[in-house]
Amino acid sequence: MWGVLFAIGFFIFIGIGYWWTGVLEKRRREVLIRLAQELGLELSWQLMPGDQNRFDRFVLSKKGYRRKSGICLTAETDQTRMTSFDFDFETGQGKNKEIAHFVFTMCIDSQLQAPQLSLRPSTWGARLAEFVVRRYIDFPEDPEFSKTVVL
């Protein structure tokens, strides 16, 4: 008898938890919609196709599996478009499965002529390769940053 009551209580508790999670998500979305309207930003729940095509050029967009973009905020002028968005992907399987969460900002400017840059962790191999070809950017004002990453 007590086992049945415990099982029923457990399922009711789980159901209330799922319901409350949905309520919180709905509130979060409403706040985001209101905030985007106040700031004059365009809000979407995933990357627009044009932005997705631009993002697909980057190596990170092809890492892992079950890749998906999330909430996307966009500000645009005549020549500049700034898009910030969430991006998740999974690596590993089973008990080794990990979900990586990133927030990206893409800037598209018709007047900007910049080379393609990459930012990656600094390892001894990466440092050696960059030293040989002399194509890295060092920041003397922030040596800790320069030790940590290679740009």
Side-chain angles (χ1 to χ4, degrees), residues 36-87:
Q37 289 172 344
E38 288 174 9
L39 295 174
L41 301 173
E42 180 185 334
L43 173 71
S44 59
W45 304 113
Q46 64 184 18
L47 270 176
M48 293 291 155
D51 291 329
Q52 184 67 53
N53 291 340
R54 288 182 188 98
F55 181 61
D56 286 343
R57 296 179 196 159
F58 293 95
V59 174
L60 191 58
S61 71
K62 295 166 183 58
K63 284 212 169 229
Y65 55 95
R66 291 193 186 143
R67 298 176 290 268
K68 65 177 181 172
S69 61
I71 297 169
C72 178
L73 289 170
T74 303
E76 191 167 9
T77 65
D78 292 338
Q79 68 183 24
T80 306
R81 180 179 175 88
M82 297 285 292
T83 304
S84 291
F85 60 97
D86 295 334
F87 181 71

Side-chain angles (χ1 to χ4, degrees), residues 92-103:
Q93 293 182 351
K95 67 178 182 177
N96 298 320
K97 180 174 114 175
E98 291 183 13
I99 299 174
H101 303 283
F102 292 92
V103 177

Side-chain angles (χ1 to χ4, degrees), residues 2-134:
W2 288 108
V4 172
L5 290 175
F6 177 76
I8 291 171
F10 177 75
F11 286 115
I12 289 173
F13 179 75
I14 296 297
I16 290 172
Y18 276 116
W19 171 79
W20 185 246
T21 301
V23 168
L24 292 177
E25 180 63 23
K26 182 179 177 184
R27 286 182 188 169
R28 185 175 78 98
R29 286 179 177 248
E30 289 169 352
V31 168
L32 279 170
I33 290 169
R34 191 170 51 247
L35 180 66
Q37 289 172 344
E38 288 174 9
L39 295 174
L41 301 173
E42 180 185 334
L43 173 71
S44 59
W45 304 113
Q46 64 184 18
L47 270 176
M48 293 291 155
D51 291 329
Q52 184 67 53
N53 291 340
R54 288 182 188 98
F55 181 61
D56 286 343
R57 296 179 196 159
F58 293 95
V59 174
L60 191 58
S61 71
K62 295 166 183 58
K63 284 212 169 229
Y65 55 95
R66 291 193 186 143
R67 298 176 290 268
K68 65 177 181 172
S69 61
I71 297 169
C72 178
L73 289 170
T74 303
E76 191 167 9
T77 65
D78 292 338
Q79 68 183 24
T80 306
R81 180 179 175 88
M82 297 285 292
T83 304
S84 291
F85 60 97
D86 295 334
F87 181 71
D88 302 335
F89 64 86
E90 293 181 18
T91 58
Q93 293 182 351
K95 67 178 182 177
N96 298 320
K97 180 174 114 175
E98 291 183 13
I99 299 174
H101 303 283
F102 292 92
V103 177
F104 286 101
T105 300
M106 288 192 308
C107 176
I108 296 107
D109 190 315
S110 59
Q111 302 296 316
L112 183 63
Q113 297 297 320
Q116 183 173 348
L117 300 173
S118 70
L119 185 67
R120 60 187 180 278
S122 180
T123 62
W124 69 270
R127 275 291 178 194
L128 179 63
E130 294 299 330
F131 180 75
V132 170
V133 294
R134 298 251 185 223

